[in-house]
Amino acid sequence: MKRQYKRAGYTVIKFPMMLMEEVEAVMDAVGYWPNITDFIREAIIHKLEEYKDLQERR
């Protein structure tokens, strides 16, 4: 299903605050990501790559 987004290029999503607190704790401990957006973007890309690998194996 192709979703339609009103704004070109970006969308807003909501996450539970407890999840964001865990993300911030990891970011503080590792010190790699400059902001939550970069962390989440990288996590999503990683998960999509895992999915593509699974699809190729089938």
Side-chain angles (χ1 to χ4, degrees):
M1 170 192 333
K2 183 81 175 176
R3 298 191 194 286
Q4 297 293 323
Y5 296 104
K6 293 179 182 178
R7 297 181 206 169
Y10 295 92
T11 187
V12 175
I13 57 175
K14 295 180 182 182
F15 287 101
M17 288 303 298
M18 290 180 65
L19 182 59
M20 290 295 93
E21 290 168 359
E22 287 187 53
V23 168
E24 289 174 340
V26 169
M27 290 174 56
D28 290 343
V30 175
Y32 175 76
W33 300 274
N35 56 55
I36 290 176
T37 302
D38 289 338
F39 178 95
I40 293 171
R41 181 183 304 115
E42 187 172 323
I44 291 170
I45 290 169
H46 177 74
K47 191 53 94 173
L48 289 173
E49 289 171 353
E50 284 181 3
Y51 176 76
K52 289 176 188 176
D53 288 344
L54 285 173
Q55 291 299 316
E56 290 174 2
R57 293 181 192 164
R58 291 182 180 179

